Amino acid sequence: QVHLVESGGGSVQAGGSLRLSCAASGLTFSSYVMGWFRQAPGKEREFVAVISRAGVLRNYEDTVKGRFTASRDNAKNTVYLQMNSLKPEDTAVYYCAASPTFGADSTRYDYWGQGTQVTVSS
């Protein structure tokens, strides 16, 4: 069975930082592009970040560029999302996901974690 488990969410004041982790099992981790998505209350799930199989290529949603950094450690089967300068509009449930292709389209992701809540207060 494939499992993706996010952790590291929580409540933080605006301007603060959090680092999310996503531990993967049941798949050949280095064969998958890993993405981060989020869903805010009353909103559709949206793309946040993607990182290539070897962790060399990365892309971000426009509003998080310069603030968020995706990284991965294939030896640990873990992908990370470092979130700095957090804003209230970053409040959402954050999900990690695995895809055979590099992109922002959620329908191209085969496996999903359960999500972790991030709440940013002003």
Side-chain angles (χ1 to χ4, degrees):
Q1 297 178 344
V2 173
H3 293 283
L4 304 178
V5 181
E6 300 96 336
S7 61
S11 297
V12 65
Q13 294 181 348
S17 297
L18 287 171
R19 189 178 78 155
L20 306 183
S21 298
C22 173
S25 61
L27 78 171
T28 303
F29 183 73
S30 61
S31 295
Y32 284 86
V33 172
M34 297 299 297
W36 287 96
F37 295 79
R38 66 187 180 187
Q39 188 166 22
K43 301 291 186 180
E44 297 296 315
R45 186 173 298 183
E46 69 171 347
F47 166 77
V48 176
V50 59
I51 184 167
S52 64
R53 295 164 185 84
V56 175
L57 301 177
R58 291 171 286 194
N59 194 30
Y60 302 94
E61 188 270 330
D62 286 343
T63 66
V64 310
K65 287 179 180 177
R67 299 188 298 121
F68 291 11
T69 303
S71 61
R72 65 191 294 165
D73 186 340
N74 286 348
K76 295 181 178 179
N77 285 5
T78 302
V79 62
Y80 306 93
L81 185 68
Q82 178 67 46
M83 305 185 294
N84 298 327
S85 301
L86 283 161
K87 303 175 180 180
E89 52 262 44
D90 296 318
T91 296
V93 176
Y94 283 71
Y95 300 88
C96 68
S99 174
T101 59
F102 187 90
D105 185 354
S106 63
T107 67
R108 299 288 292 168
Y109 286 77
D110 296 328
Y111 305 109
W112 293 81
Q114 84 291 344
T116 186
Q117 176 70 48
V118 171
T119 302
V120 185
S121 62
S122 59

